[in-house]
Amino acid sequence: MGREFVEIFDEWVHTYDESVNGNDEEYKDVFLKYNEILQAVAEAAIGPVIEFGVGTGNLTKKLLERDLEVVGVEPNQAMRKVTAQKIPNLTVVDGDFLEFETPIFPQSFVSSYAFHHLTDVEKAQAFQIYAEKLSTGGKVIFADTVFDSEQSKKEMIAFEQARGHINLVEDLNREYYTTVPKLKELITKAGFTVNLSKMNNYVFLIEATKI
């Protein structure tokens, strides 16, 4: 993920689980159907798996429940500590979407609520890297906020502004939320087929398969 956002998670680490469980009214719509979204990612994955942005380990647990071999990649030290407490035997390395170790030969790359920390140029670079590391049939399964168009993004920001959701509006303006057409373009150019399924008003399940 974009390293410029790493320090933000020093604050999020203490409240993240509360927010994703629907206890933060401002982010309630973003995390609507959170467990269902994570389950969809986990069910689409094939092992071994590299998970980017393990955070507090919520997606990791669902992957492990499927008996998949998982290596976590997490750039934030505080998040790595939380994950180590929750899942003591998990291997978690310091890294991000673009620079990471591969102690296993991955068949899937997965992530939830993190890919928007990369610019569109960086997203394209990331998928080129994944294409090099995956064999044919290998998968990338990300759940992330994506907008149908730039216009729909502007409308959503205006909607949240009117609701007084200042922190969410700040996030939407600061980070690199892309659009469905742009994301499909950069993924297919990297040599994948891709399907996007809308999970809530913010989040799409992105399932890409290497050709």
Side-chain angles (χ1 to χ4, degrees):
M1 63 182 65
R3 290 279 176 161
E4 66 268 35
F5 298 110
V6 169
E7 292 182 0
I8 293 174
F9 290 90
D10 289 337
E11 302 171 16
W12 268 89
V13 69
H14 303 293
T15 60
Y16 189 77
D17 283 342
E18 183 176 340
S19 294
V20 300
N21 287 321
N23 297 321
D24 185 337
E25 188 64 34
E26 187 166 359
Y27 288 86
K28 198 166 189 176
D29 288 350
V30 177
F31 293 113
L32 187 66
K33 299 181 181 178
Y34 178 72
N35 285 316
E36 180 181 329
I37 290 167
L38 297 194
Q39 190 64 41
V41 175
E43 289 179 357
I46 53 177
V49 180
I50 288 182
E51 180 190 354
F52 296 111
V54 295
T56 57
N58 296 324
L59 173 57
T60 317
K61 286 184 175 181
K62 293 187 180 297
L63 293 164
L64 294 173
E65 285 170 2
R66 293 196 54 227
D67 294 323
L68 296 171
E69 181 182 1
V70 182
V71 169
V73 177
E74 174 57 60
N76 182 272
Q77 185 177 13
M79 287 290 192
R80 289 199 300 272
K81 287 181 179 178
V82 169
T83 304
Q85 292 170 353
K86 278 188 174 183
I87 315 171
N89 296 324
L90 180 71
T91 298
V92 182
V93 298
D94 181 9
D96 55 59
F97 283 107
L98 295 172
E99 297 182 2
F100 54 93
E101 299 175 15
T102 51
I104 57 175
F105 183 75
Q107 288 301 303
S108 296
F109 292 104
V110 305
S111 182
S112 60
Y113 289 86
F115 199 48
H116 58 271
H117 294 126
L118 272 63
T119 65
D120 283 348
V121 170
E122 290 170 332
K123 289 183 179 74
Q125 291 171 347
F127 268 89
Q128 291 289 347
I129 293 170
Y130 309 152
E132 293 172 3
K133 293 185 179 294
L134 291 170
S135 57
T136 299
K139 301 173 77 173
V140 181
I141 309 105
F142 290 165
D144 198 33
T145 293
V146 184
F147 291 96
D148 290 310
S149 65
E150 287 294 337
Q151 181 60 33
S152 65
K153 178 180 176 179
K154 290 177 182 177
E155 290 172 356
M156 186 61 80
I157 291 173
F159 173 70
E160 297 294 0
Q161 183 80 50
R163 297 170 81 189
H165 293 169
I166 304 305
N167 293 321
L168 177 54
V169 168
E170 183 180 331
D171 289 343
L172 293 173
N173 281 317
R174 176 184 56 211
E175 301 182 25
Y176 307 120
Y177 298 98
T178 194
T179 63
V180 168
K182 183 64 180 177
L183 190 59
K184 284 185 174 179
E185 177 188 1
L186 67 86
I187 293 174
T188 54
K189 278 186 177 180
F192 293 82
T193 61
V194 60
N195 182 60
L196 273 72
S197 306
K198 198 162 191 174
M199 304 298 289
N200 64 32
N201 286 337
Y202 281 94
V203 175
F204 279 83
L205 177 69
I206 305 152
E207 186 173 353
T209 305
K210 185 180 175 182
I211 301 170

